[in-house]
């Protein structure tokens, strides 16, 4: 059983990752940290509250994440992909007092302290909240067992710019810092998440069997996401489940991924290459070791993904 903390910017693919984590008996979801990214922090918190309510899991703590990147600049949101509210056509009916003006970040540290060397963090949004956790309390964060982050694009096109993936682009400074600081870190980049597709046929299959409120929102949000992806990549066979791919990496499913261990660095600043993820994949380069050396998922076995995604 994995004791997991999910750090998200709760838009559509984050929601699918969260639903999977809630339904998978191998995962004990200890908390969700929700911050800015696809949408602003308050909407992101509200969306998690909504999912937990639908799942009848209001016992799971929702922790306030960051509102903007470490450099203090205003964040860029993605309404074309996730909708203005983050869930496509759905406006979650959660009263504002449940999510606004909340400050409970210290709860994150308490949960880690209560579960020393047992917590798996899966970060599927910008790396800001995770970086802040390390900056505030490295002693506590050293008690995290392992960390998985969805982000980066190694030697393949980005999805926000020619070279950068959205989570790394959105806070390149935090992404670089986390990759250099966090021990036992696995990076799950676009190289593999772009192939983690859910097809419309599979969505219809899931919807036909949906019996609970949480299962019934899968189709409306994924239909919206599919239309958005058809604009981005005409003809794509389904929707890439970037964030689900990172949660599944944490489950150590045999033969799902191939990995290489490399030093990961992230380009920062005003340049056109902001958010570019860099690792040495030249012929002859070898696996590294030590802090700052991360495991990178380099290949996804699509058959294994499909047989585990339902
Ligand atoms: O690049 C894909 C990532 O950016 C996903 O985590 C998506 O939810 C957005 O945050
Ligand atoms: Ca995300």
């Amino acid at each position: 059983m994995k004791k997991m903390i999910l750090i998200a910017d709760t838009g559509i693919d984050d929601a699918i990752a969260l639903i999977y984590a809630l339904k998978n008996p191998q995962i004990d979801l200890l908390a969700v940290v929700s911050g800015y990214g696809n949408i602003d922090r308050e909407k992101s918190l509200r969306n998690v509250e909504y999912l937990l309510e639908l799942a009848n899991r209001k016992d799971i703590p929702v922790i306030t994440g960051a509102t903007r990147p470490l450099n203090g600049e205003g964040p860029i949101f993605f309404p074309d992909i996730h909708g203005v509210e983050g869930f496509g056509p759905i406006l979650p009916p959660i009263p504002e007092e449940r999510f606004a003006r909340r400050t409970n970040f210290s709860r994150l540290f308490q949960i880690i302290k209560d579960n020393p060397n047992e917590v798996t963090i899966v970060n599927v949004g910008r790396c800001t909240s995770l970086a802040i956790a390390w900056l505030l309390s490295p002693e506590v964060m050293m008690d995290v067992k392992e960390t998985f982050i969805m982000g980066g694009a190694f030697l393949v096109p980005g999805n926000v710019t020619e070279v950068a993936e959205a989570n790394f682009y959105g806070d390149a400074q935090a992404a670089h810092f986390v990759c250099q600081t966090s021990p036992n870190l696995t990076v799950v980049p676009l190289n593999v998440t772009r192939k983690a597709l859910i097809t419309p046929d599979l969505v219809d299959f899931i919807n036909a069997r949906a019996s609970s409120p949480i299962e019934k929102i899968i189709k409306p949000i994924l239909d919206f996401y599919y239309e958005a992806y058809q604009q981005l990549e005409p003809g794509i066979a389904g929707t890439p489940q970037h964030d689900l791919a990172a949660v599944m990496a944490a489950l150590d499913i045999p033969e799902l991924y191939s990995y290489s261990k490399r030093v990961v660095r992230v380009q920062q600043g005003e340049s056109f290459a902001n958010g570019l993820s860099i690792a040495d994949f030249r012929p002859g380069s070898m696996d590294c070791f030590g802090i700052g050396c991360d495991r990178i998922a380099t290949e996804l076995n699509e058959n294994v993904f499909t047989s585990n995604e339902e």
Side-chain angles (χ1 to χ4, degrees), residues 196-208:
L197 296 180
I198 292 189
T199 62
D201 283 351
L202 181 56
V203 173
D204 287 340
F205 177 73
I206 293 168
N207 192 50

Side-chain angles (χ1 to χ4, degrees), residues 27 139 183 192 221:
I27 298 175
E139 306 79 15
V192 291
I221 63 175

Side-chain angles (χ1 to χ4, degrees), residues 292-305:
C293 166
D294 305 318
R295 193 170 70 142
I296 306 172
T298 51
E299 298 288 341
L300 168 85
N301 183 325
E302 288 155 65
N303 294 331
V304 178
F305 175 77

Side-chain angles (χ1 to χ4, degrees), residues 102-308:
R102 190 202 292 244
T103 49
N104 62 347
F105 200 68
S106 57
R107 187 92 190 259
L108 173 69
F109 297 128
Q110 194 57 54
I111 292 168
I112 295 166
K113 278 191 210 166
D114 291 343
N115 297 277
N117 296 310
E118 291 185 331
V119 172
T120 297
I121 290 182
V122 182
N123 189 107
V124 296
R126 314 305 183 246
C127 292
T128 322
S129 303
L130 185 54
I132 289 169
W134 273 100
L135 291 168
L136 277 175
S137 193
E139 306 79 15
V140 175
M141 293 304 287
M142 284 304 284
D143 272 348
V144 171
K145 181 180 167 206
E146 56 186 356
T147 302
F148 293 76
I149 59 176
M150 188 282 129
F154 295 88
L155 308 174
V156 297
N159 60 357
V160 171
T161 70
E162 300 94 311
V163 295
E165 179 279 331
N167 286 338
F168 277 21
Y169 179 85
D171 192 345
Q173 198 179 353
H176 179 79
F177 173 74
V178 166
C179 286
Q180 292 290 306
T181 305
S182 185
N184 211 359
L185 179 81
T186 299
V187 181
V188 184
L190 273 188
N191 305 58
V192 291
T193 68
R194 165 63 184 74
K195 296 176 185 159
L197 296 180
I198 292 189
T199 62
D201 283 351
L202 181 56
V203 173
D204 287 340
F205 177 73
I206 293 168
N207 192 50
R209 292 193 313 177
S211 56
S212 63
I214 188 103
E215 291 167 352
K216 286 184 181 153
I217 75 153
I218 293 173
K219 182 169 167 59
I221 63 175
L222 283 187
D223 282 355
F224 181 97
Y225 197 49
Y226 182 73
E227 288 306 317
Y229 257 95
Q230 287 303 319
Q231 304 300 315
L232 292 173
E233 293 188 39
I236 189 170
T239 51
Q241 296 302 319
H242 305 290
D243 296 347
L244 173 60
V247 170
M248 286 171 71
L251 293 181
D252 309 320
I253 297 166
E255 299 184 13
L256 178 57
Y257 289 112
S258 307
Y259 295 101
S260 296
K261 294 197 79 177
R262 295 288 185 277
V263 172
V264 175
R265 287 175 291 195
V266 184
Q267 173 74 35
Q268 305 157 55
E270 296 295 306
S271 104
F272 59 84
N274 177 56
L276 169 67
S277 47
I278 302 164
D280 190 352
F281 286 107
R282 288 175 293 181
S285 65
M286 304 223 276
D287 276 6
C288 56
F289 51 88
I291 298 220
C293 166
D294 305 318
R295 193 170 70 142
I296 306 172
T298 51
E299 298 288 341
L300 168 85
N301 183 325
E302 288 155 65
N303 294 331
V304 178
F305 175 77
T306 307
S307 60
N308 280 277

